[in-house]
Amino acid sequence: MNFILGISNMVAGLVFIGLSVPLVKRKIPMNHFYGFRLKKSFTSDENWYAINQYGGRQLIFWSVPLLVLGVLTMLFPVPENGLVVTLIGCAPLIVLVPAYLSYQYAKKL
């Protein structure tokens, strides 16, 4: 169980970081498929790039603890407590924090 949880959290963290790098570098033009697609981000190219750069940075920042959690889960035994396993298994939902922070940032523009 530790191995599966650890690998899944590490892979999720790496995927989030990989998807964030082009956003931080402002390489993704305005579209309806990829990026932080908020109402405010579609008002101008300037807003699109600013919001997505901010959101990408937040996503990278919050993915690091997910990677660390994955490594720790593989190194140390997780108690057979259903709550602990559930919490570690739901760790990839940490992506909601950068989404909320990006929404708050967009409101300020």
Side-chain angles (χ1 to χ4, degrees):
M1 180 61 84
N2 286 4
F3 182 77
I4 293 170
L5 287 173
I7 290 293
S8 65
N9 284 333
M10 289 186 330
V11 168
L14 291 172
V15 167
F16 292 145
I17 290 170
L19 290 172
S20 298
V21 170
L23 296 173
V24 171
K25 291 185 174 186
R26 297 176 167 241
K27 298 285 186 187
I28 306 300
M30 194 181 302
N31 68 81
H32 291 283
F33 303 106
Y34 177 36
F36 288 85
R37 299 171 314 273
L38 305 170
K39 186 177 181 179
K40 188 81 170 206
S41 62
F42 289 109
T43 59
S44 70
D45 282 340
E46 182 179 319
N47 280 356
W48 172 264
Y49 287 113
I51 292 167
N52 279 282
Q53 184 177 43
Y54 178 84
R57 285 182 179 153
Q58 289 298 314
L59 197 53
I60 290 171
F61 178 81
W62 286 96
S63 293
V64 171
L66 188 57
L67 281 170
V68 171
L69 177 64
V71 171
L72 292 176
T73 302
M74 289 181 62
L75 294 176
F76 301 104
V78 174
E80 292 298 323
N81 180 337
L83 177 62
V84 172
V85 171
T86 301
L87 289 174
I88 293 173
C90 291
L93 292 177
I94 203 164
V95 72
L96 296 176
V97 175
Y100 175 75
L101 293 172
S102 297
Y103 173 75
Q104 292 299 319
Y105 175 78
K107 285 178 20 178
K108 295 176 186 176
L109 294 178

